[in-house]
Amino acid sequence: MAAAERRTGTPVGTVDGSAAAHAKGGGPGVRAAPPAVEDAAPLVSPVGSHNEWDPLEEIIVGRLDDATIPSSHPVVSCNIPPWAARFQGLAAGRKYPRRLLEPAQQELDGFVSLLKSLGVTVTRPDAVEHQQRFATPGWSSRGFCNTCPRDSMLVIGDEIIETPMAWPCRYFETHSYRRILKDYFRRGARWTSAPKPQLTDELFEKEFRAPRADEPMRYILTEFEPVFDAADFVRAGRDLFVTRSNVTNAMGIEWLRRHLGPGYRIHEIESRCRTPMHIDTTFLVLAPGKALVNPEYIDVDRLPPVLDSWDILVAPEPEPVKDLVLRTTSMCGKWLSMNILMVDEKRVIAERHHTGMLRALEGWGFEPIPCDLMHYAPFGGSFHCATLDVRRRGTLESYFD
């Protein structure tokens, strides 16, 4: 979308009504006209990212401070693995134990150091008290954490969009990023917030049960109002790909389609996952002409026709996680091995533990950079989830006929 034009009104600054005196900037009771807006130096937005692979210049990385186990709600429990759901139900609203926090923090610090060594500017949200209770007229909840900026904000060109997320515990999550957002806005970025959802009972199917493999797909969300997580979208210039999920409904997809306008196209990726949440363990665009797919969730014969000319790379089976605590507390499925971060068209940060993925990336012509972030899984993700690429060096293009 084109940036809004600046408009300059006609000066009406005289006290005595004399336009001539005002124009000369003098005379009794006359205020001098302010400098013309045209004289100000144009702002250059610090936000600018059109796809997942242009050279990375600036990124937001999440925080673990005061991470709180999500408050109980059907939309939370239906989206996480059964063992984690049991743990979440018993400990909802409490702080994560040190046994989970400490190894995750050590790995996160190493990841941040790696990004900086690659010349990437790293920005961090403020530490806030997620355990504090808050309320709307219809419900109350405690918070969660700000580990995954990829979920709550979507960057489209020079615009950063706060998304209307479906988890009540994430209702005010972007407030921990407000210092950053206000700074970006002052420096020239466009800043939008999608309609704040009510998240009342009308949004959620009563007595929802995830469908079995032999049943038609269904979701916990109704079409009561638009909701979506940014992590259900990936960007390829003028084309975006999305999975409908238990946190993104059709109305949310349509809101973004209308908001972006005719300059963009949104294509839906059909997922066979019975509990879908976030596209970045299902389908990723890695470089012009190359997309990574999850063979368990994606039928390559049912991908959108626009991808017919692209190379479809099938992710290898992930290595099993042997750590019992990590297995039972992870909020993510086994395909977190796909949750990688492109530094540019060649270099890619991937989990050191998943050697099969590292070898596959190398075989496909990429240059994998191994890094540790396995212990971030109880907090919602890995490299792609834990970040929001704010600026990549490149221009808006179309990569499809």
Side-chain angles (χ1 to χ4, degrees), residues 82-99:
W83 276 104
R86 292 189 187 97
F87 171 71
Q88 179 267 331
L90 292 171
R94 300 181 184 179
K95 292 187 179 182
Y96 275 83
R98 289 177 59 186
R99 184 178 181 184

Side-chain angles (χ1 to χ4, degrees), residues 14-31:
T14 59
V15 173
D16 62 359
S18 170
H22 182 88
K24 294 178 182 178
V30 177
R31 296 190 299 269

Side-chain angles (χ1 to χ4, degrees), residues 195-208:
K196 204 71 175 170
Q198 294 171 274
L199 302 187
T200 53
D201 291 344
E202 292 90 338
L203 180 62
F204 307 102
E205 293 286 357
K206 293 180 175 64
E207 300 179 3
F208 173 78

Side-chain angles (χ1 to χ4, degrees), residues 6 8 33-43:
R6 287 184 179 153
T8 308
V37 172
E38 289 82 0
D39 294 340
L43 296 175

Side-chain angles (χ1 to χ4, degrees), residues 286-287 290-293 311-316 338 340 345-346 348 356-368:
L286 305 184
K290 292 185 177 183
L292 178 65
V293 301
D311 293 334
I312 304 302
L313 314 174
V314 179
M338 288 180 58
I340 57 183
E345 283 189 28
K346 288 291 184 183
V348 50
M357 177 61 74
L358 295 172
R359 286 195 298 268
L361 288 166
E362 196 169 23
W364 294 327
F366 296 102
E367 299 172 9

